[in-house]
Amino acid sequence: MDILLDNLPGLLIAIPLLGAFLTPLLSRAGDTVRNVWILLITALSSLCGLLVASRVLETGTIVYTFGVDTISQVIPPDSGGIPIRIIFTIDPMNAFMLIIAAIVGFCITLYSISSIEKLSGKDGFFTLLLLLITGVYGMIATGDLFNFFVFLEISSLAGAALVAYRIDKGVAAEAGLKYAALSTLGGMLFLVGVGLLFAQYNSLNMAVIADRMQMTGLDIIAFVLFFTALAMKCGAVPMHFWTPDSYAMAPSAVTAFLVVSSQASLYALFRVCFTLYGGQINLLTVGWVIIILGVLSMFIGVTMAIPQKDVKRLMAYHAVSQTGYMLLGVGVGLAALSSTCLSQSVGMMALKGGLFHIMNHALYKGLLFLTAGVIMYRCGTRNLNQLGGLGHNMKWTMVFFMIGALAIAGIPPFNGFASKLLIYESTFLFNPLLAVIAMVVSILTLASFVKVFHSMFMGPKLPEYQDVEEAPKPMLIAMGILAVLVILFGIFPQQVVDTLVAPAATALIDYQGYISAVLGGA
């Protein structure tokens, strides 16, 4: 048992990767066997992620090395203090992200069992889905820049194929190609940045590079490349143009996890700013750059969402807008923590708000995309002008959509309000205009979702949907899990902040602690 627990970080990758490659073989035994296998693999990988996160929050940072038992074998005496093995470094910030991926990963797999039952190519779908989950886990857990690139490529390739899964007269294929092209560009920029740092420091390990960073001209170029690539991958304006097509055309369960994949890139952006360059860059300047990206993402995202008639495309633009809140919170945190005019508590409050919103967004946006998938599954359309009166026969779906809509608009007592309140309060103390913009965007978000709710669920039954049925039970259970968490995180926000968010925020700003966790045992 101790051996199993000690190797949980390695199993994070091994379990879904093994599941992905065995899925086509087990599918020969029938759909039931394959579905049980997929659920088992996803449940085990999610359990593994939750257990790893729990151990980190209880005992501190885990430094897991592949192929050896001790850190002294990773950093031999004659290596000049440079790790020569692949290392997973999991601190409370990584643990925070693992919890998000574990919860949403299980829910979208359970949902997919029913949502794609009418489609062909299920073996390939589930294989790619497990590879996407593997890539996201790897992006979150790795302590190595090159291996982050490898896992980024795994998630990008699997994501591009899943976006194009439905074909849909070539529209989905076009969206998949766009996703692949932008992911390739982002990956290439990131890889060039990795090469620049490796050329100077002869290492790929983030802790080693952070410890030896001299902030030369090449380091600045590498930072710009990292920042651009990761901002593109997380869908921040003005590099957001892949999100509407990709999120709209992917199966809804895939879209819900693509949100988590984008958040893994957002996590990497914060890790680069706080940990890799934390002791060298001008945090105030970088903080304001992130704030500007956040404000642009919030405003442009919500204004582009309002006129949309395709419900998933509308939600995709809202995902861009909500990413702006995360960027705003963390950007204000960066700027305030480096400012001599404000107390450190303002910066920490903003940082907690931004990070808390990452988790809340994954839950309520995942729920909203799953409800949109139910509408598509039962009605065959996402066009709001062709829908109406569905609340008569789809009461649970209507309730789940309402919960997600109120949460994304920041209405109490749902989780979106809890994180937005932290952002409002901290940004008001930092710059009142930013808080006003954030609140106006929330009002526009509420107006947008009132329109969507009325278009889909209110009014008399339309003739073509007289006999429409509620979603299958696996889809309802998956949505129910997310809905319950949205409510609980809104009712008990302080407990979530104290248990999960505050340790993540503290770990993120403690770059010296990250470095010493890896190099201290050498």
Side-chain angles (χ1 to χ4, degrees):
M1 181 60 71
D2 289 339
I3 294 177
L4 184 63
L5 292 175
D6 289 341
N7 287 283
L8 282 175
L11 293 175
L12 266 177
I13 305 302
I15 291 174
L17 199 58
L18 176 66
F21 286 105
L22 289 183
T23 294
L25 295 177
L26 291 174
S27 295
R28 296 178 179 274
D31 287 354
T32 301
V33 173
R34 183 203 57 233
N35 291 345
V36 171
W37 169 252
I38 295 298
L39 285 176
L40 176 63
I41 288 295
T42 310
L44 287 175
S45 61
S46 294
L47 178 62
C48 186
L50 294 175
L51 288 175
V52 170
S54 176
R55 293 192 73 185
V56 169
L57 293 172
E58 289 178 5
T59 64
T61 302
I62 293 176
V63 180
Y64 179 82
T65 55
F66 287 81
V68 294
D69 298 325
T70 64
I71 194 71
S72 61
Q73 293 175 280
V74 179
I75 311 177
D78 58 351
S79 72
I82 299 174
I84 60 172
R85 295 271 185 170
I86 295 174
I87 297 177
F88 277 8
T89 307
I90 307 174
D91 65 8
M93 182 63 212
N94 303 81
F96 176 78
M97 295 301 300
L98 283 177
I99 291 170
I100 297 172
I103 293 171
V104 179
F106 176 76
C107 290
I108 62 106
T109 306
L110 177 61
Y111 181 97
S112 297
I113 296 297
S114 291
S115 67
I116 69 162
E117 63 181 356
K118 300 176 183 178
L119 303 177
S120 59
K122 300 183 187 69
D123 299 353
F125 175 89
F126 284 115
T127 298
L128 290 166
L129 187 62
L130 289 175
L131 287 175
L132 178 61
I133 292 172
T134 302
V136 171
Y137 278 144
M139 290 167 65
I140 293 170
T142 186
D144 180 288
L145 286 174
F146 181 75
N147 280 288
F148 179 87
F149 164 76
V150 171
F151 288 117
L152 177 67
E153 288 298 288
I154 291 173
S155 66
S156 296
L157 290 172
L162 288 168
V163 168
Y165 174 70
R166 290 188 188 276
I167 308 299
D168 197 12
K169 298 179 181 179
V171 180
E174 179 186 349
L177 285 173
K178 183 180 293 186
Y179 184 89
L182 270 295
S183 296
T184 301
L185 177 59
M188 186 169 60
L189 292 175
F190 191 91
L191 183 60
V192 172
V194 173
L196 292 176
L197 294 184
F198 181 74
Q200 294 185 89
Y201 305 109
N202 198 31
S203 178
L204 297 168
N205 185 273
M206 283 192 281
V208 172
I209 297 173
D211 186 51
R212 301 183 176 188
M213 181 73 69
Q214 299 298 317
M215 211 55 188
T216 64
L218 289 179
D219 293 333
I220 295 173
I221 294 172
F223 177 78
V224 172
L225 291 172
F226 290 149
F227 193 97
T228 304
L230 296 171
M232 182 186 298
K233 282 293 294 177
C234 74
V237 171
M239 296 163 284
H240 67 292
F241 39 86
W242 60 270
T243 53
D245 289 344
S246 300
Y247 284 7
M249 296 312 304
S252 291
V254 173
T255 307
F257 203 73
L258 286 179
V259 170
V260 178
S261 178
S262 296
Q263 291 178 336
S265 296
L266 189 65
Y267 149 78
L269 176 63
F270 299 156
R271 180 66 82 186
V272 166
C273 292
F274 281 96
T275 302
L276 193 61
Y277 286 84
Q280 301 293 332
I281 59 171
N282 187 321
L283 296 179
L284 183 61
T285 301
V286 174
W288 269 106
V289 171
I290 295 176
I291 289 169
I292 292 170
L293 289 180
V295 171
L296 289 174
S297 298
M298 283 192 302
F299 189 75
I300 292 176
V302 75
T303 53
M304 290 297 294
I306 290 173
Q308 300 299 321
K309 301 303 180 184
D310 182 324
V311 64
K312 284 194 68 181
R313 196 173 183 85
L314 177 145
M315 291 180 181
Y317 278 113
H318 278 299
V320 173
S321 179
Q322 296 303 303
T323 299
Y325 281 95
M326 305 167 208
L327 290 167
L328 176 63
V330 175
V332 169
L334 262 173
L337 287 171
S338 61
S339 174
T340 57
C341 302
L342 294 171
S343 67
Q344 297 291 291
S345 61
V346 174
M348 284 302 295
M349 185 193 302
L351 189 56
K352 290 176 185 177
L355 295 181
F356 193 15
H357 204 65
I358 292 177
M359 175 171 279
N360 290 339
H361 178 251
L363 297 176
Y364 63 63
K365 181 57 72 173
L367 176 60
L368 287 170
F369 275 123
L370 296 189
T371 57
V374 171
I375 301 301
M376 181 67 182
Y377 178 81
R378 288 304 191 195
C379 303
T381 182
R382 303 187 304 266
N383 191 325
L384 293 174
N385 292 335
Q386 299 175 9
L387 296 169
L390 299 178
H392 294 281
N393 293 352
M394 305 177 72
K395 293 181 174 59
W396 280 110
T397 300
M398 179 178 68
V399 169
F400 292 147
F401 178 88
M402 188 184 302
I403 291 171
L406 293 173
I408 194 174
I411 304 299
F414 302 101
N415 64 351
F417 170 76
S419 52
K420 284 187 176 182
L421 183 61
L422 289 173
I423 295 173
Y424 295 155
E425 290 179 352
S426 57
T427 52
F428 184 82
L429 294 172
F430 180 78
N431 187 317
L433 178 61
L434 296 176
V436 171
I437 293 172
M439 286 186 278
V440 169
V441 170
S442 287
I443 294 171
L444 293 175
T445 302
L446 178 61
S448 176
F449 275 95
V450 167
K451 179 194 77 171
V452 175
F453 180 78
H454 183 271
S455 298
M456 291 199 303
F457 297 106
M458 295 291 99
K461 294 182 183 180
L462 298 181
E464 58 267 40
Y465 304 130
Q466 286 290 330
D467 300 321
V468 69
E469 297 179 357
E470 183 57 275
K473 288 184 179 179
M475 298 167 77
L476 288 176
I477 293 171
M479 292 188 292
I481 293 171
L482 294 178
V484 168
L485 291 175
V486 167
I487 295 171
L488 289 178
F489 283 20
I491 296 175
F492 305 105
Q494 195 58 50
Q495 288 82 347
V496 178
V497 170
D498 292 343
T499 305
L500 301 177
V501 181
T506 302
L508 190 58
I509 64 175
D510 183 19
Y511 70 93
Q512 292 288 0
Y514 184 93
I515 293 170
S516 62
V518 177
L519 303 182

